[in-house]
Amino acid sequence: MIRIEPRQTQSRAFTLGVPILSAIIALGFAAIPLLAAGANPILAYQEMFRGVFGSVFAFSEVLTRATPLIFTGLAAALAFRAKLWNIGAEGQLYLGAMAAVAVGSGVLDVHGILLLPLIVVLGAAAGAAGMIAPTYLKIRFGADEVVTTLLLNFIILIFVQMMLEGALQDPMSLGWPQSAPILDQGMLPPLIERMRVHSGLIVALILAGLAQFMLARSVWGFRLRAVGENAAAARHAGINVNRSLFGVAILSGGLAGLAGVSEVAGLKGYLTSDLSPGFGYTGIVVAMLAGLSPVGVVIAALFIASVFVGADSMSRAMGVSSFLADLVVSVSLLCVLVGGFFARYRIVRASTSGVTS
């Protein structure tokens, strides 16, 4: 007879090694469709590596792609720590981007020095607003936040499209649904001249470090972890569970909103309905690959960004579909989930008398 039982202790080395092993296994599985397409997997991976580390520009593109993923990964990781399943980072990203262009395009008469901080603050606030209603419905009526946050994404996207064809539309766009551009003083400064990587990356790294410190060293972090481990026990210990959930919901939505700010104020300069290729949903994968660790989010975001950028380079060089990147990311997540299960549980074989063999 075989049964599953919890492990008494969890190996830290095994827990840390699961994401690395998952990436290696995912690349191994990705070799199968490469062979089916008639490509040499070794040469294909060499092209991927060259597309990521072959030049300063190539690596700067990885950093550019990783920036919004760090924000959305942090948004998912912190919320998931409290067992608040925020699947709405995509919509919250668009709320943050919409607030950024609404303020940054010159609607308000703000001094140039104050414009960028105001864009950042209001963008984060707009993203946070996107989590208030789902969290209230969860606390007050027990509504499933997976459903409410997911469905809210579609409502927000429709609202953004309406605004881009109405109040926010650029008069100079000749009818094309895009917003007016953000003023130059409202843009995030570039980190490297003539390259797309911008100072939003620095903000993301600082917030990741701060989140790691707060989770490990602060009373707030202890309360958050307690609520996530056992809300009933946390409530019995005197922790205000509802207040903790609202706090992490606002923080999670705000981080997702900053992802939208970084894309419009750091990269494009204006808002369109196709601003995000799914950064909000990919952030969930980043958080899971990172084991819900803020520092791990940075590493996982760089890995996923490297896969996507490298796959684009490989596609151009070898004529292989760039959708291979989606396969690598998906298999990596699956391997992490399976590895996480075996990190917490073990399969034992027992005799019919009930004695473990």
Side-chain angles (χ1 to χ4, degrees):
M1 185 177 66
I2 295 176
R3 70 172 185 268
I4 299 173
E5 62 181 30
R7 293 182 183 272
Q8 298 299 319
T9 58
Q10 296 183 21
S11 170
R12 184 170 180 83
F14 182 78
T15 302
L16 293 176
V18 163
I20 299 174
L21 184 61
S22 300
I24 296 173
I25 294 174
L27 291 174
F29 274 112
I32 298 174
L34 282 173
L35 289 170
N40 185 325
I42 296 177
L43 295 179
Y45 290 148
Q46 286 178 347
E47 287 296 336
M48 287 185 68
F49 186 85
R50 189 176 297 112
V52 174
F53 300 105
S55 65
V56 175
F57 173 77
F59 189 66
S60 74
E61 285 298 298
V62 173
L63 297 178
T64 302
R65 191 72 174 263
T67 299
L69 294 179
I70 295 175
F71 283 118
T72 57
L74 288 174
L78 293 179
F80 289 4
R81 281 272 188 164
K83 296 293 191 295
L84 180 66
W85 309 110
N86 178 15
I87 314 298
E90 184 78 359
Q92 294 147 23
L93 179 153
Y94 274 97
L95 286 177
M98 189 167 60
V101 297
V103 176
S105 58
V107 174
L108 298 179
D109 186 15
V110 181
H111 192 277
I113 298 178
L114 301 177
L115 183 58
L116 181 56
L118 184 63
I119 288 173
V120 172
V121 171
L122 291 183
M131 270 301 289
I132 291 178
T135 307
Y136 175 78
L137 292 174
K138 172 185 174 67
I139 292 172
R140 182 67 178 84
F141 302 105
D144 189 345
E145 71 275 19
V146 172
V147 176
T148 53
T149 53
L150 178 61
L151 295 181
L152 194 57
N153 285 336
F154 300 101
I155 296 173
I156 291 172
L157 286 173
I158 292 173
F159 178 69
V160 168
Q161 290 172 349
M162 182 186 73
M163 295 297 290
L164 290 177
E165 295 178 2
L168 291 180
Q169 187 176 34
D170 185 2
M172 305 299 292
S173 67
L174 301 178
W176 186 258
Q178 72 178 45
S179 73
I182 294 178
L183 301 177
D184 289 343
Q185 57 267 36
M187 295 292 291
L188 289 163
L191 290 181
I192 304 175
E193 195 66 29
R194 294 190 299 276
M195 294 187 187
R196 302 200 308 161
V197 60
H198 53 83
S199 53
L201 174 64
I202 304 299
V203 177
L205 294 176
I206 291 173
L207 290 177
L210 183 61
Q212 184 71 43
F213 174 81
M214 293 293 288
L215 274 176
R217 303 289 183 179
S218 71
V219 175
W220 174 84
F222 171 78
R223 289 173 178 168
L224 180 65
R225 287 183 281 114
V227 170
E229 291 292 332
N230 192 320
R235 187 177 287 108
H236 182 74
I239 296 175
N240 191 323
V241 173
N242 291 348
R243 182 181 298 174
S244 297
L245 286 176
F246 261 115
V248 75
I250 290 172
L251 181 59
S252 176
L255 287 166
L258 286 177
V261 172
S262 75
E263 285 299 284
V264 294
L267 199 59
K268 294 191 69 172
Y270 56 89
L271 174 62
T272 58
S273 60
D274 61 349
L275 173 71
S276 169
F279 290 133
Y281 300 112
T282 309
I284 298 172
V285 180
V286 170
M288 297 303 294
L289 286 176
L292 306 186
S293 163
V295 171
V297 162
V298 176
I299 299 172
L302 288 171
F303 166 70
I304 291 181
S306 298
V307 170
F308 280 114
V309 173
D312 288 339
S313 176
M314 178 190 65
S315 177
R316 292 191 298 269
M318 304 187 66
V320 177
S321 173
S322 60
F323 286 106
L324 181 73
D326 294 318
L327 176 64
V328 174
V329 171
S330 301
V331 175
S332 296
L333 176 59
L334 180 61
C335 293
V336 166
L337 294 176
V338 173
F341 173 82
F342 285 108
R344 293 188 298 271
Y345 301 94
R346 62 176 180 171
I347 299 176
V348 296
R349 182 178 299 171
S351 65
T352 56
S353 61
V355 179
T356 304
S357 60

